[in-house]
């Protein structure tokens, strides 16, 4: 007689849940970083970084170029001409403020790039976690389907032999029909999860598996206020504020008049001439104070946004930390409860059903509860790892696997 239980598949799932993932090469993190670096979103982020570098280079350049002037006139038979060079002087050192601004532009751009890489890395990790959970759920559903299919065959034989009634076979058929729909749903979910991982990691295959167990931190993640300020998300906002602050200072200095000096030489009426020129704008009709107020308000706005980013990130990290601890606690509790029980329960239930100590209705209910228990364990593991991914993202510790941007970027 065909054995009903397919506990080997169930035991494999329990092993996957309770033990570490299959051994992975030590350079898995470097492989992940290289895959993230190839994503079009990250390529676009690198181009954006290069553009910001060019913007910073432009801000560091001198403000004024020399100006060449010439004049030619004919008076009678005399040809008079004059050639001169003039230079506006950066009297109030506006270029110095611009150079400070350029440094902060670079800091903000690099921090923003790191943040985009971290976000994409977290997205890829979450996709791998979803794929692993979907794969395990599909294994359980398939095993449950095979078990019900075998049960239906045995039930039909026992019905013919008069051991059980017609209603028992019908109940088994109804359970199998329901299980077929669940298998289809879980297999579709698995295909979607696999496609998502392939979109994020071009060279990934199901054979490569999920995330190595030793990737996850073995101790609770902690972060200080100083480390939080170094988080790319916060560092980018802080550097952007300081950049706008220096821009406001440059605008304030630009409102002040700056002199232009020049020297010229030529001939006038047959005589050689040399002259000096001096000019300065008279800011009497427009003192440009409105532009200065606008720039100062923009700096204050940027400072407030930086403080808001810092505050929001701290609360987000605390919330993610609390969620992870809660899921981790329940998942470890589930492992303790499931270990040694789920593996042996299928054989025990089958023996009791064959001996008549367990009705077909109760047997089907017990099998369904056993399957739901396994699926609950998968769900707990998934949510634990997703919450931990959020903790690593909000704490900035995903930078350990993020490819850094160094010149040249091409």
């Amino acid at each position: 007689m065909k054995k009903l239980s397919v506990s080997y598949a169930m035991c494999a799932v329990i092993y996957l849940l309770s033990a570490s993932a299959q051994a992975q090469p030590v350079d898995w993190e470097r492989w992940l970083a290289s895959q993230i670096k190839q994503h079009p979103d990250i390529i676009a982020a690198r181009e954006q970084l290069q553009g910001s570098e060019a913007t910073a280079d432009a801000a560091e350049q001198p403000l004024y170029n020399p100006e060449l002037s010439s004049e030619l006139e004919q008076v009678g038979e005399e040809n008079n001409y004059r050639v001169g060079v003039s230079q506006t002087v950066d009297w109030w050192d506006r270029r110095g403020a611009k150079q400070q601004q350029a440094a902060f532009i670079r800091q903000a751009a690099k921090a923003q790039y790191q943040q985009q890489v971290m976000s994409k890395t977290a997205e890829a990790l979450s996709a791998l976690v979803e794929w692993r959970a979907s794969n395990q759920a599909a294994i359980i559903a398939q095993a449950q389907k095979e078990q019900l299919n075998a049960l239906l065959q045995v039930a039909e034989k026992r019905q013919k032999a008069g051991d059980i009634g017609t209603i028992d076979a019908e109940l088994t058929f109804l359970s199998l029909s329901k299980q077929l729909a669940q298998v289809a749903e879980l297999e579709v979910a698995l295909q979607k999860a696999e496609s998502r991982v392939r979109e994020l990691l071009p060279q990934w295959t199901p054979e490569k598996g999920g995330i190595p167990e030793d990737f996850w931190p073995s101790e609770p993640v902690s972060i200080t206020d100083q480390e939080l300020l170094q988080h790319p998300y916060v560092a980018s906002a802080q550097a952007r504020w300081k950049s706008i602050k220096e821009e406001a200072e440059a605008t304030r200095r630009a409102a002040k008049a700056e002199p232009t000096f020049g020297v010229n030489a030529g001939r006038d009426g047959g005589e050689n001439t040399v002259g000096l020129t001096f000019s300065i704008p008279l800011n009497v009709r427009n003192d440009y104070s409105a532009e200065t107020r606008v720039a100062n308000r923009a700096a204050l706005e940027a400072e407030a946004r930086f403080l808001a980013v810092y505050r929001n990130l701290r609360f987000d990290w605390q919330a993610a930390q609390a969620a992870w601890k809660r899921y981790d606690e329940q998942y470890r509790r589930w492992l303790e409860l499931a270990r040694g029980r789920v593996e042996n329960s299928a054989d025990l239930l089958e023996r009791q059903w064959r001996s008549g100590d367990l009705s077909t209705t109760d047997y089907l209910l017990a099998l369904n509860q056993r399957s739901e228990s396994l699926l609950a364990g998968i769900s707990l593991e998934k949510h634990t790892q997703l919450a931990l991914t959020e903790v690593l993202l909000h704490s900035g510790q995903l930078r350990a696997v993020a490819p850094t941007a160094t010149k040249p970027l091409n």
Side-chain angles (χ1 to χ4, degrees):
M1 184 176 292
K2 185 176 181 180
K3 191 171 180 62
L4 299 183
S5 66
V6 284
S7 57
Y8 288 114
M10 297 295 190
C11 291
V13 172
I14 288 291
Y15 173 77
L16 287 173
L17 288 171
S18 60
S20 63
Q22 209 170 25
Q24 298 285 338
V26 293
D27 60 346
W28 186 85
E29 291 184 6
R30 288 196 293 271
W31 172 84
L32 175 63
S34 68
Q35 295 296 293
I36 297 297
K37 196 173 182 180
Q38 296 175 34
H39 195 277
D41 287 343
I42 302 305
I43 294 176
R46 287 204 306 273
E47 295 299 327
Q48 184 181 26
L49 174 59
Q50 288 183 327
S52 298
E53 292 278 359
T55 300
D57 292 340
E60 291 179 326
Q61 299 304 310
L63 299 179
Y64 305 111
N65 285 312
E67 183 176 346
L68 178 66
S69 62
S70 63
E71 182 180 349
L72 176 64
E73 65 176 354
Q74 186 175 18
V75 181
E77 295 181 357
E78 295 290 339
N79 291 324
N80 300 327
Y81 64 88
R82 191 179 299 271
V83 178
V85 177
S86 61
Q87 174 69 58
T88 301
V89 179
D90 184 13
W91 195 265
W92 305 104
D93 193 24
R94 187 152 59 104
R95 183 187 180 190
K98 287 287 188 180
Q99 288 175 329
Q100 291 292 328
Q101 181 187 9
F104 292 126
I105 289 175
R106 290 190 176 93
Q107 291 179 16
K110 290 178 181 178
Q112 184 178 2
Y113 174 77
Q114 290 178 346
Q115 174 63 25
Q116 289 173 312
V117 172
M118 282 178 52
S119 297
K120 189 60 66 175
T121 302
E123 195 175 342
L125 293 176
S126 298
L128 285 170
V129 170
E130 293 282 358
W131 170 82
R132 184 168 184 264
S134 297
N135 188 45
Q136 292 173 346
I139 291 175
I140 291 178
Q142 184 66 29
Q144 182 83 343
K145 185 193 74 171
E146 294 175 3
Q147 194 165 16
L148 290 173
N149 191 43
L151 173 61
L152 179 60
Q153 296 178 18
V154 173
E156 289 175 344
K157 292 180 181 180
R158 292 186 64 183
Q159 178 191 356
K160 293 178 181 178
D163 293 340
I164 59 175
T166 305
I167 188 63
D168 295 314
E170 289 299 319
L171 288 173
T172 306
F173 167 75
L174 293 174
S175 297
L176 178 58
S177 301
K178 179 182 178 181
Q179 189 64 28
L180 290 175
Q182 184 181 21
V183 169
E185 292 176 359
L186 292 175
E187 287 180 346
V188 170
L190 176 60
Q191 290 176 352
K192 291 182 178 179
E194 183 175 324
S195 297
R196 180 58 178 158
V197 177
R198 289 182 184 275
E199 188 274 326
L200 292 167
L201 307 174
Q203 297 178 357
W204 178 86
T205 59
E207 290 74 21
K208 195 169 186 65
I211 303 170
E213 187 68 20
D214 56 6
F215 170 84
W216 304 109
S218 57
E219 298 179 355
V221 180
S222 61
I223 185 172
T224 64
D225 291 342
Q226 187 61 33
E227 290 172 335
L228 192 65
L229 284 172
Q230 297 173 1
H231 191 286
Y233 191 38
V234 178
S236 175
Q238 185 179 35
R240 193 175 300 113
W241 159 51
K242 291 183 178 180
S243 172
I244 296 176
K245 186 178 178 181
E246 291 298 331
E247 182 179 0
E249 176 61 22
T251 302
R252 185 187 68 81
R253 296 180 185 182
K256 298 182 179 181
E258 293 183 322
T260 300
F261 298 92
V263 59
N264 58 72
R267 289 184 65 84
D268 188 359
E271 299 290 335
N272 294 329
T273 62
V274 177
L276 297 176
T277 61
F278 170 80
S279 64
I280 187 170
L282 301 177
N283 296 343
V284 292
R285 301 186 64 187
N286 184 0
D287 60 1
Y288 301 100
S289 59
E291 288 82 350
T292 302
R293 291 198 305 271
V294 169
N296 288 334
R297 294 300 178 183
L300 293 173
E301 177 188 354
E303 181 182 12
R305 293 188 183 280
F306 153 63
L307 295 175
V309 166
Y310 176 79
R311 185 172 182 271
N312 289 342
L313 185 62
R314 169 154 289 285
F315 280 101
D316 288 344
W317 177 80
Q318 291 174 349
Q321 184 86 334
W324 169 66
K325 288 181 178 179
R326 192 63 176 169
Y327 279 122
D328 185 64
E329 177 185 347
Q330 299 304 321
Y331 175 58
R332 292 179 185 277
R333 177 61 177 158
W334 181 90
L335 286 176
E336 294 175 359
L337 293 173
R339 188 175 292 113
R341 289 186 173 91
V342 179
E343 299 96 319
N344 303 323
S345 60
D347 294 336
L348 176 62
L349 291 172
E350 181 186 346
R351 288 196 300 269
Q352 290 183 335
W353 177 72
R354 286 179 181 275
S355 64
D357 295 335
L358 190 67
S359 67
T360 302
T361 301
D362 292 338
Y363 183 31
L364 291 173
L365 178 61
L367 287 178
N368 184 60
Q369 290 177 338
R370 180 172 180 268
S371 176
E372 289 180 353
S373 175
L374 286 171
L375 292 176
I378 292 173
S379 178
L380 281 173
E381 183 195 40
K382 180 184 78 170
H383 285 95
T384 300
Q385 293 181 349
L386 289 177
L388 184 53
T389 301
E390 288 293 312
V391 172
L392 294 174
L393 176 63
H394 293 318
S395 65
Q397 298 191 24
L398 279 182
R399 278 183 288 179
V401 301
T404 57
T406 57
K407 289 186 176 181
L409 293 174
N410 294 328

